[in-house]
Amino acid sequence: MPRRKIGEFSAGTINALKLNISVGTPIYIADSNIEHMKSSHLEDFKKYGNDIETIIASPDYIGKNVRDDSIEFVKEYVLNGDFVKVAVRISLQNIYYARSLYTLNPTRVKNFIAKGTLINLTSNQNIV
């Protein structure tokens, strides 16, 4: 499968993270990305792999990882108690790809929110 578009950057995400990209910049996924997700976090992928587009389209939290410069889209699944992250990174060709999908430790999520590393979109409606 060639790459396929699975989402795009919203004005809220761009403004909140101070990204230097245009609204509507596409986010893609390719077979190599899916294989990486499966090989790294198979159980998480089985459980949430079909939700990647939803997580990107309507995350509860967003952040920017300073270590690898990835954009983090995090969705809270209240019934399961899971926080699921989709990490998006830019390729050498300046194309954004969903690279990782996995659940986060809830305690770490709360620490990231407290430090401002993750921005809670549900309480900051003015930036969405």
Side-chain angles (χ1 to χ4, degrees), residues 13-85:
T13 295
I14 292 167
N15 293 335
L17 298 178
K18 298 174 179 53
L19 302 175
N20 190 21
I21 59 174
S22 301
V23 172
T25 296
I27 300 169
Y28 296 96
I29 197 164
D31 286 341
S32 60
N33 307 122
I34 293 169
E35 290 309 313
H36 172 75
M37 291 175 192
K38 287 179 180 178
S39 68
S40 299
H41 304 280
L42 181 59
E43 292 308 311
D44 292 338
F45 186 83
K46 285 180 183 177
K47 193 170 183 180
Y48 295 109
N50 289 331
D51 294 350
I52 293 173
E53 292 182 40
T54 301
I55 294 167
I56 290 172
S58 60
D60 295 311
Y61 304 91
I62 55 172
K64 189 164 185 192
N65 187 319
V66 293
R67 282 185 290 147
D68 65 8
D69 214 28
S70 64
I71 309 302
E72 301 176 338
F73 296 83
V74 179
K75 188 82 171 161
E76 180 178 7
Y77 288 82
V78 178
L79 293 177
N80 301 343
D82 287 339
F83 291 89
V84 181
K85 176 171 100 171

